[in-house]
Amino acid sequence: SNNMLNTLAAIIFLILGALAILASVFNFKWFFSSENVRMLVKYFGPRGTRVFYGIAGVLILYMAYYVYNMPLS
C-alpha cells in the first residue's frame, strides 16, 4: 500500500534526517559553518545547536517512517 511518491519522499527524509543526526554527533565543520546554521549557533551556542539538530534529525526520520507507511487516500 505504497506509491512511488511516498517512497521518494521517505528516502529524501531519511537522507536529511540521517545527515542532521550525523552532523550533530560528529560535529561536521562544513555543516556548522554554513550561514544559516551559524545564525542558530549565535542564539543557542555550539552545543545547543548540535542538540537541536540531533532532535530535528530524529523527528525527520520519524517523518520518513510516517510518509512511507502512510495509507493511500
Side-chain angles (χ1 to χ4, degrees):
S1 64
N2 213 332
N3 67 21
M4 197 66 172
L5 196 58
N6 284 36
T7 304
L8 181 62
I11 290 170
I12 290 169
F13 285 138
L14 185 69
I15 292 168
L16 293 175
L19 177 63
I21 291 171
L22 289 171
S24 170
V25 170
F26 295 108
N27 198 19
F28 293 154
K29 296 288 178 239
W30 61 268
F31 186 88
F32 288 101
S33 63
S34 72
E35 199 169 328
N36 291 334
V37 178
R38 277 195 316 234
M39 186 178 69
L40 286 175
V41 172
K42 194 166 73 174
Y43 291 111
F44 298 122
R47 185 169 183 195
T49 304
R50 288 177 68 185
V51 169
F52 173 82
Y53 273 100
I55 293 169
V58 169
L59 292 175
I60 294 168
L61 287 181
Y62 175 76
M63 283 173 32
Y65 173 81
Y66 179 79
V67 167
Y68 186 74
N69 292 298
M70 190 168 47
L72 295 173
S73 49

